[in-house]
Amino acid sequence: MKTSRSRLALAGRRGTMLGATLALLAGVVAAPAAQAQDVTPGTVSDASFVWGISGYAQKGIFGPWRILDASGDASALVGSVSGGTQAEYTPAAFPATSMPVSLVGGQQATPNAIKFSDGEGVRGTDGTVTIDWDGEITFNAYPANLNAPDETLADPKLTVNADGSGTLNADVTIGAANDMNGNPTPEVNAGRTTVLAFGPGAAQVAEDGTITLSPRYAGVQHHGGTQDRTCTAPNVWGAWTPEWLAAVPASVHPHYYNTGCGGDQNLKGPLPLQVTYDLTEDETQVPVGTPKIQLSETTLAADGSHQVTITGTGFNDRSVVGVRPPLAGKPAGFYLVFGKFEDAWKPSAGGTSAARKVVEQKWVLAAENHAVIGGAAAGAVELRPDGSFTTTLTVSKGAADAKSETGGYGIYTYAASGAVHAPWELSAPITFTTGGDDDDDDDTGNVGGGSLAGMTNLFGSLM
């Protein structure tokens, strides 16, 4: 096993990533470097991120915003803007980021920041990264005596896609408070909310694990208020994510989009994230395989039910992660199905569940996730670390015909939990006979990797 330490290249610091210098302006990559390819996959651990919210949060109307009530793996860092000494997070000043130009002791001021530690996740061979953190932390733009609503983030999750786009989401709660007229307002749980979004190429994963995360802001329109879109460089107009603006009270919306040009309006974009983590790789790890399945029989009598054994290899691409519960953001495995499918069943080609009539289904996934889906009683089958599996399905022509009058009988595989992954979509046709002895035929089905004539190569996802 080999463990390496990885660190985010923070916007505004001098450095290169894969030989290309990143110029960041108010949360937008001005000259993105090429997306890294074929990075080392592995398990992410001891991950942390540090984030200064925005330049506006470092100044505010009444001074820097309060950061409070940290619990779990969350903590607050106090910068020189509030008399503190944190030196872990030091973004460059505007116009490199939204950090205000401010000198403390002759040096550019450092911001107050939110920190989450001890995150865990995975990194795929194409640079995809998912990391989860536990804990919560609150910030508030106003002094406590004004009883303005707290904005609380809990259990954040970072997702970076292969194209460099991604999100940071969290469970968001708006605390009970008084509105601008002094009337009490109740606590509101906004649920899972996209706090920050990154456009394609704005987040990049290098071979050494370095990630640069610069949230979208400049040019993002907000339709719920008076946004000035006439600003010209170096001034910036923009907005945070629509999901975040929908979650926070209308009274604080102007903190998250520009209402004019110049001055403090340039400080409202989110500051970059600074991420570190350990990556543990298995030096004996086999390369991502070519998925294949083999059936014990493919020609069966039309009457009765038959037990068909299916073995598979090459399903070891850990970058294939679910996009919906219960395994969203985690390696979710794939479905193994006996059914009667139409020609256009492939999810990656737009096929819907209506084209896939399932007679019996099993869920092939890593053993540690079996309990999440209900175990063997729910059809869980172990996907071994090397990408292989063995199981049986009950095959019945009568049961299939009861499901649909059309479609092809077969054994099918496709990625689970909403994922779409072309190499994992395979099919092996089943033929039913009504008399005669076909035992002299070689009816063993080998499917996958384009190795057999008549084999259907399919493209992956979920029902």
Side-chain angles (χ1 to χ4, degrees), residues 129-422:
V129 174
T130 58
I131 308 175
D132 292 275
W133 288 271
D134 295 323
E136 68 177 48
I137 198 164
T138 296
F139 51 90
N140 194 309
Y142 297 95
N145 66 300
L146 295 182
N147 199 27
D150 289 337
E151 300 162 43
T152 299
L153 307 181
D155 301 335
K157 178 187 184 69
L158 173 67
T159 301
V160 181
N161 301 315
D163 66 355
S165 64
T167 59
L168 179 74
N169 64 55
D171 286 323
V172 173
T173 301
I174 306 302
N178 290 337
D179 64 19
M180 297 181 70
N181 296 318
N183 300 313
T185 58
E187 176 179 291
V188 175
N189 184 352
R192 205 73 190 170
T193 300
T194 300
V195 181
L196 302 174
F198 317 103
Q204 303 185 18
V205 182
E207 175 62 30
D208 65 358
T210 298
I211 306 174
T212 297
L213 294 168
S214 186
R216 293 185 62 195
Y217 176 80
V220 176
Q221 297 184 6
H222 174 54
H223 300 288
T226 306
Q227 183 180 46
D228 190 337
R229 300 171 188 164
T230 66
C231 309
T232 58
N235 299 318
V236 180
W237 69 268
W240 288 45
T241 67
E243 295 84 356
W244 175 252
L245 282 158
V248 300
S251 59
V252 298
H253 278 185
H255 297 167
Y256 302 109
Y257 74 95
N258 74 297
T259 56
C261 296
D264 290 351
Q265 299 296 324
N266 289 328
L267 309 180
K268 293 183 178 180
L271 284 168
L273 272 70
Q274 175 174 310
V275 176
T276 63
Y277 60 84
D278 288 338
L279 180 72
T280 301
E281 60 181 274
D282 183 354
E283 292 180 327
T284 64
Q285 176 180 304
V286 296
V288 173
T290 300
K292 298 178 181 180
I293 58 173
Q294 180 175 358
L295 279 57
S296 59
E297 295 180 273
T298 60
T299 302
L300 304 167
D303 57 342
S305 297
H306 311 272
Q307 295 297 307
V308 175
T309 299
I310 302 99
T311 58
T313 57
F315 293 86
N316 63 338
D317 189 344
R318 289 184 58 84
S319 69
V320 185
V321 296
V323 299
R324 68 187 188 193
L327 291 173
K330 298 180 180 180
F334 59 94
Y335 299 124
L336 176 69
V337 172
F338 166 62
K340 203 169 182 183
F341 285 18
E342 303 295 337
D343 290 341
W345 70 270
K346 301 176 280 237
S348 60
T352 69
S353 59
R356 300 186 292 272
K357 301 303 181 184
V358 174
V359 179
E360 184 178 25
Q361 173 177 296
K362 293 191 177 181
W363 192 334
V364 185
L365 73 169
E368 63 264 26
N369 290 323
H370 282 197
V372 176
I373 69 163
V381 172
E382 182 181 5
L383 179 61
R384 304 181 190 101
D386 65 358
S388 66
F389 73 93
T390 302
T391 190
T392 60
L393 287 175
T394 301
V395 174
S396 165
K397 181 179 185 298
D401 290 342
K403 288 280 187 177
S404 177
E405 296 181 355
T406 62
Y409 308 103
I411 305 296
Y412 299 85
T413 67
Y414 49 103
S417 204
V420 175
H421 188 58

Side-chain angles (χ1 to χ4, degrees), residues 6-63:
S6 305
R7 188 172 185 85
L8 172 90
L10 180 65
R13 286 183 175 175
R14 183 175 300 171
T16 60
M17 185 173 71
L18 301 182
T21 301
L22 296 179
L24 303 177
L25 174 60
V28 173
V29 176
Q35 173 71 21
Q37 298 293 329
D38 299 323
V39 298
T40 303
T43 301
V44 171
S45 61
D46 193 26
S48 68
F49 80 77
V50 187
W51 177 46
I53 307 174
S54 68
Y56 194 69
Q58 309 305 323
K59 185 175 181 180
I61 299 172
F62 298 92

